[in-house]
Amino acid sequence: MGLKFRGLVAGALTLATLGLGGGVAQAQSPTVTVGADGKTAPVFDYTQATKERVWIPVANTDTDSDGVIDRIAIDIIRPKESGPAVKVPAIIDPSPYYTSNGRGNEAQRIITNANGTLDRFPLFYDNYFVPRGYAFIAAHSLGTAFSTGCVNHGGPTDIAGFKAVVDWLNGRVPGYTSMTGTTASTATWHNGSSAMIGKSYDGTFANGTAATGVDGLKTIVPISAISAWYNYSRTAGIRHNNNYPSGLSSGIAGVNADTGARPPLIQTPTGEVTRQTFCGPVRNAMDQLDGDEHGDINEYWRDRDHNKDANKVKASVFVVHGFQDDNVRMDHVGLWWEALKANNVRLKMWLLRAGHTDPFEQRRAEWVDTLHRWFDQELQGINNGIGAEPAVTIEDAPNVWKNYASWPIPGTQNTDVFLRAGADAAGAGTLGGISGGSADTLTFQNTGANIAENTLMGTPEGQQTNRRVFISPVLTKDVRLSGTAVLKLRAALGTEQSNLSAVIADIGTSTQTSRSGDGVTTPANAPRTCWGATSTDANPCPTLGSTCTTTGIGIDNACYAEATKIISDVPQWRVTRGTLDSRQRESYWYADAKAVVPGAFNDYTIPLQPTEHIFKAGNRISIIVTANLYGQGTSAQQPTLPSAVSAAQPITIDTRASKISLPIVGGTVAMTESGAFTDPTAPVGGVVPATLSLTLGAPATFAPFTPGVTKEYTATSEANVISTAGNATLSVSEPGHLTNGAFSLAEPLRVEFGKSTWAGPTSNEKVGITFKQLIKDKDPLRTGSYSKTLTFTLSTTQP
């Protein structure tokens, strides 16, 4: 691979001086170096780093239909020394946001100078990793920033662009120094190993690129990322938006004024236009393809499902997600994680108790250290032990983190919890480990509109007109849910279609990280900390994590504001939720939609969002069944078609057959011991008489003994054992010697049992008995039959 490693000779004082990769004189040209802490050390001078922009043709791709193959633009920053003699890996952030929304909590955009390279790379990756022997690449998705072509909402052409970046790094496709020119650029400095990392759309591109199976992409770190675009815009047939792909694609193609030099305009017959305007026809075509009129999966969405291609993934995957994310919901993690596990992909995971946010804003120091060690292992080949550590890290409570071997966490069992009618059919129901309750059915009214979540959860034992609540008694022990709950509802609708939904709520005071603002806030005067070097070498902090200010540093800095978690006590909490269009009860594919017969009972399987939650002793578990939960209006194409919010009607639940499968640590035993179930109890008893029974099989007979030959003869029989005692022992009297009248064999008879002791009751257990007799060549044998009567005893000390 061409990597060169050497020990860090400098002492502790020198290492501290190098901590930010500043312009420190080196006795010799630096190379990738492993420090005393086992991590790559910051020996490269960031102020001297090489910066370049490269355009890579994307084969067979002309998304803007201009007759020219699209080119994806990438901005590279790498150690000045990198090249044929010092090869380095690449960390790639594939993004559509470099000139539009910006990246990170502070919405940083690229800033292009007059030379066509960057004065600022967003985020800390360049500042931190380039001094440590990595290249960082900001890759602009097709149709955005300085790439050509048009945005295609994460579709195959978008993904092909980022695959081309990895192919170029590995010398499989050409790259050029300009948007339209032919002067070649090659990555002679690359060691053959790349990573992709990014939050949200960026992480989604990482997932999609890994799902192509491209060689050289060794690991991806998707943060709050999408695994199937359908699940972002819809849930099981229910739309969350109208014409979302074209709307998002328009926004991300924009260019803000603070990005420095701007991409060139495009010449058209009517004059010059921005790429955003030029791609209008492509966005119009999206509106015709996105299936808003039905809200189901079609070819457009299937092309944007990376889970189906998990069998192609060669890269390791480090998944990071907030399990309170209502933007990119947790089903993206659940589906992707399970698909990757099924294909034996090497995995790591962090689950945050937060919303759509980066761990850099949650657990900064630990995150930077973990990411550094992960990239060192995956891209530099350093055996630093991170691969042997627990694979999963979960924030069990606000700011309380714990490691686990896997996810869902070990000991989790899918546990059937039955939804039972309570004593008063007009009031709340109960939860049971078995079917039952005071009524066979319960009815509620679909209002024809979404119901506010707090209204659904509030006063659970109050009116049940527009919902049905099933609630546990006060828990006596904690109960942990880990993974995906699934409602298995049997119900009859009042019309041919209705949405059906469920919410799991924690009723009672608990301490939670707010869903407002994704659980974090960054005040204007928030303190800042430093996480890398700057191009001006005017960095005010001497060590990583030190307090810093942006004063006097300029546009390129690694001084980031510290976010604060929003934590408070709440009287009730939505743990998770899920919803389903009744027409998609058998399949989410648009051609499989089926209306129901009003009044007829049907079975509906409704997955809820995967999550992590601990119901504390003293609180109650609430399962709420309702109709419309979340969704958005009717579509522009079909204004009368309720593909998001279903019509008012009565809905009747079969309470004998309806249940929810909860992924509970400890399963049914944990639920029962916590007091969550209200199953009726009645004394049932019986008497077992004391029994020790031993029945012997047919007598054992040896084959004829042969005089003058040394041989061991065997014979077998069996015993049938019945014991109701606490223990039992099978024994035999002293075997002695076989006799023939006045003559006895020289060698004693031996008896062996297949089993001779029991630590509990047993019934009709067959036990093998083996008899062994040794005859030696000089032993005298008398004509006739030899025999011996033995006594077998079954006994106990705990009757």
Side-chain angles (χ1 to χ4, degrees), residues 414-503:
N414 291 326
T415 306
D416 283 342
V417 177
F418 287 84
L419 310 181
R420 301 155 52 105
D424 179 3
T430 63
L431 307 180
I434 59 174
S435 177
S438 64
D440 295 337
T441 62
L442 293 173
T443 299
F444 67 94
Q445 182 71 24
N446 177 348
T447 65
N450 293 328
I451 300 177
E453 197 165 75
N454 284 337
T455 301
L456 279 175
M457 295 190 297
T459 59
E461 293 171 305
Q463 65 81 23
Q464 306 287 307
T465 307
N466 308 126
R467 61 177 181 172
R468 278 292 173 175
V469 179
F470 302 87
I471 191 166
S472 75
V474 173
L475 302 178
T476 59
K477 292 183 177 180
D478 291 357
V479 172
R480 178 158 190 165
L481 185 150
S482 177
T484 304
V486 179
L487 176 64
K488 299 174 182 179
L489 186 71
R490 184 164 179 79
L493 310 182
T495 68
E496 292 183 344
Q497 184 274 340
S498 179
N499 297 344
L500 296 166
S501 305
V503 172

Side-chain angles (χ1 to χ4, degrees), residues 741-795:
F743 297 90
S744 298
L745 293 180
E747 297 294 326
L749 175 67
R750 304 197 311 280
V751 182
E752 297 176 357
F753 296 122
K755 181 177 181 179
S756 62
T757 60
W758 288 263
T762 186
S763 292
N764 292 320
E765 184 171 351
K766 303 297 183 183
V767 177
I769 305 174
T770 301
F771 301 90
K772 295 183 178 181
Q773 179 63 58
L774 175 64
I775 303 292
K776 296 180 179 178
D777 58 350
K778 298 186 182 301
D779 288 349
L781 298 178
R782 176 74 171 89
T783 302
S785 297
Y786 285 82
S787 64
K788 181 74 172 182
T789 299
L790 303 177
T791 300
F792 293 83
T793 304
L794 184 66
S795 61

Side-chain angles (χ1 to χ4, degrees), residues 1 3 5 38 40 88-91 129 134 190-196 216-221 314-318 345-348 370-388:
M1 301 290 284
L3 281 178
F5 293 96
T40 48
V88 298
I91 299 169
F129 283 104
Y134 291 83
H190 186 239
N191 75 349
S193 297
S194 302
M196 282 191 177
L217 183 61
K218 297 300 179 64
T219 190
I220 63 171
V221 184
K314 300 173 184 176
S316 63
V317 181
F318 186 172
V345 174
R346 190 156 49 83
L347 297 170
K348 187 171 178 62
T370 302
L371 189 63
H372 185 180
R373 295 174 64 223
W374 182 256
F375 282 157
D376 275 358
Q377 174 185 270
E378 300 300 294
L379 303 181
Q380 303 278 19
I382 298 171
N383 184 12
N384 54 25
I386 194 170

